[in-house]
Amino acid sequence: MVRRARRINRELAEVYPYAHPELDFRDPFELLVATVLSAQTTDLRVNQTTPALFAAYPTPEDLAAAVPEELEEIIRPTGFFRAKARSLIGLSTALRDDFGGEVPGRLEDLVSLPGVGRKTAFVVLGNAFGVPGITVDTHFGRLVRRWKWTEQQDPEKVEAEIATIFPKSEWTMLSHRVIFHGRRICHARNPACGACPIAPLCPSYGEGETDPEKAAKLLKYEKGGRPGQRLNPPPDYPGSPAPPLAPAAGEAG
C-alpha cells in the first residue's frame, strides 16, 4: 500500500506540476481570511468576493473594526455570511490585540483564533509560511479512502495516518495534488475513471464512468478546457483565469 501510495503521488506530480492553492491571496492575512470564507462554498466564489472585501478592509485592524452588517453584505455570496462575519471580526480582533496585527506562523497560535481549525491552519502554514502540513478537506478525505490509504473518517485521524506514509517535505504538495485530482477527475459522484491517468494504480477503478469518451466529458477546469477557480492564477497554470463576480441585478459594470 505504501509503495502504491507513493507511486500515485509521483504520478500526480507529473499530471499536476502546477498544483497550487486555489485561493487568490497576496499575504498570510488574505490567505487566512479567504480560507475561512471557503467553508461550504467554492474557492471560485471566494476569489470573486475577496477583491471587494480587501479593498474595504485591507488589514486586520480594519476588519476588526468592521460594522457587521456591512461586512455581511460583502461576503454574502460565500454563504453562511453571518457566522463567517463573526469569525472574521473575531480573528482580526485577536490578531490586532494578541499578535501585533500579524498572522502567527505556529499551529497552536492559529487554531486559537476564532473560526480557525486545523485544516485552515495547515493551508496558511503550508502556503504562506512554508511549514509542511496535510490539508484534509472533503476531496482529500474522499480520495485517500478510495485509494485505501486509510479507512478513517475523522480528519485528524486521516491526517495522522497519511503523515506516516509520506515524508514531511511532501505534505503540502501532496495535499494540492490530491485536491486538484479530486476537483478535476475523481469527483464525489461519477468519477471520470476512464480519463484518469492513475487508473491502473487505483483499487477503486470502476466506481465511475469507465468509457474514455464519456469520462472525458466529466473533466473539470483546465482538464475539461474550462477556466480554473483563481482570478489571478500562478504564471505556470495551464488553464485560463476565472471570471470576476458578475454584478448584481441593476448594477453597472
Side-chain angles (χ1 to χ4, degrees):
M1 183 277 287
V2 172
R3 285 197 301 272
R4 188 176 71 231
R6 290 177 176 176
R7 187 175 170 195
I8 286 175
N9 181 41
R10 290 195 298 272
E11 296 278 343
L12 292 177
E14 292 187 12
V15 176
Y16 307 109
Y18 50 84
H20 60 273
E22 293 193 84
L23 292 167
D24 286 326
F25 69 97
R26 294 171 295 188
D27 54 47
F29 175 63
E30 289 193 359
L31 179 57
L32 176 61
V33 169
T35 307
V36 169
L37 288 176
S38 71
Q40 306 296 316
T41 191
T42 63
D43 286 359
L44 170 59
R45 184 48 55 95
V46 175
N47 292 336
Q48 292 172 326
T49 303
T50 49
L53 174 65
F54 294 131
Y57 310 105
T59 69
E61 291 81 1
D62 295 320
L63 195 49
V67 176
E69 293 76 15
E70 295 175 0
L71 174 58
E72 289 170 6
E73 197 55 38
I74 293 175
I75 65 172
R76 180 184 290 268
T78 69
F80 301 96
F81 54 91
R82 291 189 180 90
K84 290 178 180 179
R86 286 195 297 272
S87 292
L88 293 184
I89 291 174
L91 72 84
S92 297
T93 300
L95 292 177
R96 181 195 65 193
D97 296 346
D98 302 332
F99 297 101
E102 300 290 333
V103 175
R106 299 195 312 161
L107 176 65
E108 54 267 41
D109 292 332
L110 284 167
V111 297
S112 74
L113 301 172
V116 178
R118 289 178 70 87
K119 183 184 80 171
T120 296
F122 281 133
V123 169
V124 174
L125 289 172
N127 299 292
F129 292 99
V131 177
I134 295 173
T135 303
V136 183
D137 71 352
T138 55
H139 300 287
F140 190 95
R142 178 178 76 252
L143 268 61
V144 298
R145 285 187 288 272
R146 276 183 178 162
W147 294 333
K148 313 300 183 190
W149 295 0
T150 181
E151 294 181 353
Q152 300 291 345
Q153 297 287 332
D154 178 76
E156 285 196 36
K157 293 179 179 177
V158 171
E159 176 195 324
E161 288 202 1
I162 303 306
T164 67
I165 300 174
F166 298 94
K168 184 178 287 189
S169 60
E170 283 289 303
W171 289 355
T172 298
M173 286 308 301
L174 171 73
S175 300
H176 290 326
R177 293 167 192 148
V178 173
I179 292 168
F180 253 59
H181 193 63
R183 285 175 169 166
R184 285 150 178 79
I185 297 175
C186 195
H187 311 133
R189 290 183 293 277
N190 205 15
C193 294
C196 180
I198 60 166
L201 299 171
C202 183
S204 298
Y205 175 79
E207 277 191 19
E209 180 58 65
T210 57
D211 179 83
E213 288 190 14
K214 293 180 181 177
K217 295 178 180 177
L218 301 173
L219 300 179
K220 295 184 178 179
Y221 304 118
E222 76 281 358
K223 293 298 179 185
R226 293 185 288 277
Q229 299 207 78
R230 292 188 70 161
L231 278 65
N232 298 294
D236 62 344
Y237 177 63
S240 56
L245 192 66
E251 290 184 0

